[in-house]
Amino acid sequence: MSLDSKIPEGDLEVKWRDYKSHVKLVNPSNKRKLEVIVVGTGLAGASAAAALGELGYKVKAFCFQDSPRRAHSISAQGGINAAKNYQNDGDSVFRLFYDTVKGGDYRSREANVYRLAEVSASIIDQCVAQGVPFAREYGGLLSNRSFGGTQVQRTFYAAGQTGQQLLLGAYSALERQVALGNVKMYSRHEMLDVVMIDGKARGIIARDLITGELERYFGHSVLLCTGGYANVFYLSTNAMGCNVTASWKAHKKGAYFGNPCFTQIHPTCIPVSGDHQSKLTLMSESLRNDGRIWVPKKQGDNRKPTDIPETERDYYLERRYPAFGNLVPRDVASRASKERCDEGYGVGTTKMAVYLDFTDAIKRYGMIELGKQGLETADDKTIEKLGKAVITEKYGNLFEMYEKITSENPYEIPMRIYPAAHYTMGGLWVDYELMTTIPGLYCLGEANFSDHGANRLGASALMQGLADGYFVIPYTLGNYLADEIRTATIPTTHPAFEDTENAVRIRIEKLMNIKGSESVESFHKRLGKIMWDKCGMARNEKGLQSAIEELRALRTEFWSNVRIPGEINEMNPELDKAGRVADFIELGELMCMDALDRKESCGGHFREEMQTEEGEAKRDDANYSYVSAWEYAEGGEKLHKEELAFDVVKPTQRSYK
């Protein structure tokens, strides 16, 4: 099957406008007859379900938590990008597009990224209209801050809880449609397979997580909005429920998986403190606006950070990347931290951490406040007090969170941070219309591969999720459904529903009948260690080959020795988790195969054999300027390639110096 990305003809800046002008439409009375399933109710899912319900489609939305408000989207703290140029600092749609393509190390599709930049401004207007409390300047205008990989201020934010506020906006829009009867919500339901009829996605099998019952649902089309798969690493910044199951089931039914090895390591995370931990906590990248990152100049320096004089500190990002300093992209910042710690300059008890220091920012803001109050001089204590008040206003909840977790006051002692698994740029392959290789099956937000290439710039996840849900899918889905208006609702007694449900039941029974001696959690931990050590921040051929062997052995052991307590027809979180871990083990193998195949370094994919003399990622544009799209087959995964064309942004060696 050849990959048709369906990119419209014409210049980059007119593609989306022309597409919308010529796309097929569904009239309002026909929309009422068409049923759409939306799996996942985070930012992408909630916005898509709300937008499609508003248009008049009959929407069924599935949420595996008790409420869409619990979606992991709330954890995106720092902000959302948009090319509004409020700061008059040179921003534009083109510059946001350029920064995103460059930030992704020239491994994303130009047309998708340009569309994302184009609709970004509308997202802000939409959210303001919903009442999202974005931070504002004194005069009432929306405030902006910087994020990594850019030299302009284009990130809109609501203190350190932007994701939560945006999700509440999308949730309120969704609940309005639920109240109007346009959307039916199914909470505590997990999708366990896609139902295919005549080669098209026509429904899902879901499990009621309270009763354990399997249920069948029909849809003229199915939208997967189920987030990323960073929990394959076990320890990640993701919520513990985040999983790959919906995407993986679709993959096994024929949806190609794009760039699975492109995973992002976030540089600003609270370091691992021991093997008792089940997840890691992210400190927002927005902190790099004002915090300075450093390590001692002396190896193994055990002094308190406040006892180390300025002359004995190495502000290594400012030293290595003077043009961007502490605001280099995530992959660059993460590798630089790892390099310093590996060389023996790390801090804290584990020596696997670096400092993020706000002393200078507190002083700087204190002096600004002094000027605002018309005071010429003040003692250091007053300046510090005024500066801390500004920092509290900008990042207060993040500082509180850090203190609760570490029992250290970050206003007085620098934060300790270290990189951790965070976001996944890979996901189901989709075309320009966000459709997978299965007709009628769409994939939105972090669950697809589409916009970020090999590295996502900070504050772009919220942007993509809402762009896909509010502004892209309402047009592109109609283009498909216009040809489906004669398709009557297919009863769920159809043999395809019967067969798919039986296959799901057999797998669940097989899991429960293993009755081994090892917990699901222990398998997940072992999987995470293999993935982090051999397919994490750095990869090499030997490590990846041995990881594949280890994962195959782990899979065999899992299916012969896992222990799942409880029963099938009841609430059984261990059973839910077992299914997800089984899928993660299979995904882990594909990630390693993809990383092994891609003999270059780009963005978050760093092959140790491919680096510049300065230790930076060394791309191979001649041989690897493509999207890896993997097709599932019983005999082994088959690689397809979508060649990437760069007509506007010519690939160059990324430099943030």
Side-chain angles (χ1 to χ4, degrees):
M1 175 177 175
S2 63
L3 287 171
D4 178 10
S5 54
K6 293 188 196 160
I7 297 169
E9 295 296 318
D11 292 340
L12 206 51
E13 50 275 14
V14 300
K15 283 183 192 295
W16 180 234
R17 194 175 69 214
D18 284 359
Y19 174 90
K20 289 192 294 182
S21 303
H22 297 98
V23 76
K24 291 179 201 164
L25 300 176
V26 181
N27 87 43
S29 60
N30 282 330
K31 283 183 181 136
R32 291 194 287 273
K33 300 173 196 164
L34 292 167
E35 300 181 48
V36 180
I37 289 173
V38 178
V39 184
T41 47
L43 272 186
S47 59
L52 296 171
E54 183 82 46
L55 285 170
Y57 293 106
K58 284 167 73 177
V59 180
K60 301 178 186 118
F62 292 82
C63 163
F64 80 116
Q65 295 102 336
D66 52 359
S67 162
R69 287 171 306 181
R70 291 190 182 274
H72 187 58
S73 305
I74 67 160
S75 295
Q77 303 152 327
I80 176 169
N81 289 330
K84 275 196 172 289
N85 194 29
Y86 277 179
Q87 304 294 326
N88 199 26
D89 57 359
D91 200 11
S92 64
V93 167
F94 181 84
R95 200 172 286 277
L96 173 50
F97 154 72
Y98 175 85
D99 286 345
T100 306
V101 174
K102 177 187 174 184
D105 220 352
Y106 307 96
R107 290 292 173 265
S108 42
R109 197 190 280 153
E110 275 192 340
N112 282 61
V113 178
Y114 194 88
R115 175 176 65 186
L116 177 66
E118 215 177 326
V119 304
S120 65
S122 304
I123 297 171
I124 305 302
D125 300 339
Q126 170 96 354
C127 295
V128 168
Q130 288 173 343
V132 172
F134 285 121
R136 293 179 183 266
E137 303 289 359
Y138 179 74
L141 294 174
L142 297 184
S143 183
N144 290 116
R145 56 188 175 205
S146 298
F147 257 64
T150 71
Q151 289 178 307
V152 296
Q153 288 183 289
R154 66 161 69 99
T155 304
F156 294 78
Y157 62 98
Q161 47 179 276
T162 316
Q164 184 166 357
Q165 297 302 334
L166 290 170
L167 185 67
L168 289 173
Y171 171 72
S172 60
L174 172 61
E175 286 301 307
R176 178 171 173 268
Q177 294 306 317
V178 171
L180 290 170
N182 299 327
V183 177
K184 186 156 173 45
M185 267 303 303
Y186 296 88
S187 56
R188 288 284 183 196
H189 278 68
E190 180 171 28
M191 174 195 136
L192 290 182
D193 215 341
V194 182
V195 177
M196 305 280 293
I197 299 175
D198 298 329
K200 293 180 176 179
R202 291 297 192 197
I204 64 168
I205 303 298
R207 182 165 178 267
D208 181 326
L209 297 178
I210 303 293
T211 64
E213 290 291 314
L214 293 178
E215 298 171 3
R216 310 169 186 181
Y217 297 95
F218 164 78
H220 287 88
S221 63
V222 177
L223 277 56
L224 299 184
C225 314
T226 50
Y229 50 87
N231 275 352
V232 70
F233 292 103
Y234 184 69
L235 282 183
S236 84
T237 65
N238 285 200
M240 288 175 68
C242 293
N243 64 82
V244 78
T245 290
S247 294
W248 196 249
K249 301 307 184 199
H251 176 54
K252 288 185 135 180
K253 281 284 168 80
Y256 292 6
F257 211 105
N259 295 335
C261 80
F262 284 172
T263 52
Q264 181 168 73
I265 311 296
H266 197 295
T268 359
C269 181
I270 297 178
V272 177
S273 58
D275 58 11
H276 59 283
Q277 271 179 282
S278 53
K279 84 174 291 296
L280 296 171
T281 305
L282 176 73
M283 299 311 298
S284 167
E285 182 176 316
S286 61
L287 297 173
R288 290 201 274 148
N289 265 287
D290 288 314
R292 297 178 73 196
I293 294 171
W294 63 276
V295 290
K297 283 184 178 174
K298 198 170 77 183
Q299 288 173 321
D301 194 330
N302 290 321
R303 287 177 292 174
K304 282 188 197 160
T306 45
D307 292 342
I308 300 174
E310 194 70 17
T311 52
E312 294 177 39
R313 299 177 176 190
D314 177 16
Y315 295 94
Y316 58 88
L317 291 177
E318 295 170 36
R319 167 172 61 78
R320 286 176 62 174
Y321 309 103
F324 282 72
N326 294 298
L327 286 171
V328 291
R330 292 177 175 178
D331 58 320
V332 177
S334 295
R335 273 198 300 278
S337 298
K338 181 180 187 294
E339 184 272 334
R340 286 291 79 191
C341 293
D342 289 350
E343 291 297 316
Y345 297 95
V347 300
T349 47
T350 61
K351 297 297 180 196
M352 294 306 276
V354 299
Y355 289 127
L356 178 62
D357 194 336
F358 285 84
T359 313
D360 287 356
I362 289 169
K363 209 174 286 178
R364 185 175 76 250
Y365 284 126
M367 294 302 287
I368 292 168
E369 290 302 300
L370 214 58
K372 279 185 189 174
Q373 294 177 20
L375 302 169
E376 287 185 18
T377 56
D379 59 13
D380 289 349
K381 255 204 166 108
T382 306
I383 293 169
E384 197 176 304
K385 188 180 171 191
L386 291 168
K388 280 179 183 173
V390 176
I391 292 289
T392 302
E393 193 182 335
K394 290 180 90 166
Y395 313 109
N397 58 315
L398 300 171
F399 276 57
E400 279 173 36
M401 193 164 74
Y402 182 87
E403 187 164 4
K404 273 184 182 163
I405 290 169
T406 64
S407 302
E408 290 176 7
N409 179 351
Y411 294 101
E412 309 291 340
I413 303 164
M415 289 182 182
R416 284 173 294 108
I417 56 165
Y418 192 70
H422 176 56
Y423 186 90
T424 53
M425 286 77 64
L428 292 185
W429 183 92
V430 292
D431 60 25
Y432 188 74
E433 297 185 321
L434 304 184
M435 198 195 287
T436 66
T437 47
I438 295 176
L441 182 71
Y442 291 78
C443 189
L444 284 66
E446 188 180 354
N448 74 31
F449 89 99
S450 72
D451 294 358
H452 308 295
N455 173 58
R456 177 176 68 78
L457 291 184
S460 287
L462 300 177
M463 175 173 65
Q464 188 210 342
L466 291 179
D468 286 357
Y470 283 138
F471 298 108
V472 179
I473 202 68
Y475 288 94
T476 63
L477 183 64
N479 197 40
Y480 172 76
L481 291 179
D483 296 330
E484 295 294 326
I485 55 175
R486 289 184 185 82
T487 305
T489 296
I490 299 171
T492 55
T493 50
H494 187 288
F497 280 94
E498 192 115 351
D499 294 347
T500 311
E501 185 188 316
N502 278 338
V504 171
R505 182 176 286 107
I506 288 164
R507 184 174 190 261
I508 290 172
E509 287 168 356
K510 188 179 171 188
L511 276 168
M512 288 301 291
N513 288 332
I514 296 168
K515 302 192 188 320
S517 60
E518 212 173 309
S519 70
V520 176
E521 194 78 352
S522 65
F523 279 106
H524 196 180
K525 268 187 177 178
R526 285 163 62 192
L527 164 68
K529 181 154 176 52
I530 296 167
M531 294 303 294
W532 180 253
D533 289 349
K534 294 177 178 175
C535 195
M537 243 193 296
R539 297 121 187 230
N540 60 55
E541 188 168 352
K542 192 176 165 212
L544 290 165
Q545 284 169 341
S546 75
I548 291 168
E549 296 305 316
E550 287 173 55
L551 290 168
R552 284 173 184 163
L554 187 70
R555 184 177 170 185
T556 304
E557 192 184 335
F558 176 89
W559 283 98
S560 60
N561 195 33
V562 73
R563 182 184 77 246
I564 304 167
E567 302 299 327
I568 291 174
N569 292 319
E570 63 179 16
M571 188 172 175
N572 189 341
E574 282 301 296
L575 175 57
D576 307 338
K577 197 159 62 176
R580 294 167 194 167
V581 171
D583 294 333
F584 270 140
I585 294 172
E586 293 179 16
L587 166 75
E589 188 181 329
L590 181 61
M591 286 168 67
C592 293
M593 285 165 62
D594 190 39
L596 192 58
D597 172 76
R598 192 170 281 277
K599 295 181 174 62
E600 64 162 354
S601 291
C602 57
H605 167 65
F606 192 72
R607 283 287 294 264
E608 289 169 347
E609 307 95 324
M610 288 84 187
Q611 53 182 303
T612 65
E613 286 172 16
E614 294 168 323
E616 305 293 345
K618 191 177 180 182
R619 288 196 326 272
D620 179 355
D621 293 328
N623 296 305
Y624 292 96
S625 198
Y626 61 76
V627 176
S628 306
W630 295 86
E631 178 188 7
Y632 181 81
E634 286 301 333
E637 298 273 354
K638 185 179 171 195
L639 176 62
H640 300 266
K641 299 174 183 179
E642 179 201 343
E643 299 296 337
L644 293 169
F646 293 94
D647 301 321
V648 179
V649 182
K650 301 300 177 195
T652 53
Q653 177 63 41
R654 268 198 316 169
S655 173
Y656 293 95
K657 293 187 188 302

